[in-house]
Amino acid sequence: MIHTGLLTEPMLVFGAGRFKSGFNRYLGHLRRGHVWFSVAAVGLLAAIGVGASALGKSELASALYAAAGALPFILFLWLARRAC
């Protein structure tokens, strides 16, 4: 929800009107924001996965690692679909 609130929703509100003439440049800024957000979220999920693994919760750790691997791609898909 944080990704949607910070990147996707403002694009839907402001992208068509305010940034109509420079939408490609605006979309580039959104992609960079997506990368920064994804790096932070993947790091957080991986760190929690390491903690779960240290506590002996290997199934939870595996799920968190899988979520960390899929997260940037799923969120970018949502962002790209809304941009079109």
Side-chain angles (χ1 to χ4, degrees), residues 7-8 11-12 15 19-35 76 78-84:
L7 299 172
T8 306
M11 175 187 59
L12 293 174
F19 299 105
K20 183 170 61 171
S21 62
F23 187 72
N24 287 336
R25 193 176 76 223
Y26 177 61
L27 195 57
H29 291 298
L30 289 176
R31 283 190 301 253
R32 282 189 288 284
H34 165 76
V35 168
F76 184 72
W78 292 352
L79 181 66
R81 287 183 71 192
R82 294 292 191 158
C84 294

Side-chain angles (χ1 to χ4, degrees), residues 10-67:
M11 175 187 59
L12 293 174
V13 173
F14 298 118
R18 179 182 271 179
F19 299 105
K20 183 170 61 171
S21 62
F23 187 72
N24 287 336
R25 193 176 76 223
Y26 177 61
L27 195 57
H29 291 298
L30 289 176
R31 283 190 301 253
R32 282 189 288 284
H34 165 76
V35 168
W36 284 109
F37 180 84
S38 294
V39 166
V42 166
L44 179 64
L45 284 174
I48 295 171
V50 168
S53 181
L55 293 174
K57 308 288 186 183
S58 62
E59 293 176 355
L60 177 60
S62 296
L64 288 167
Y65 296 145

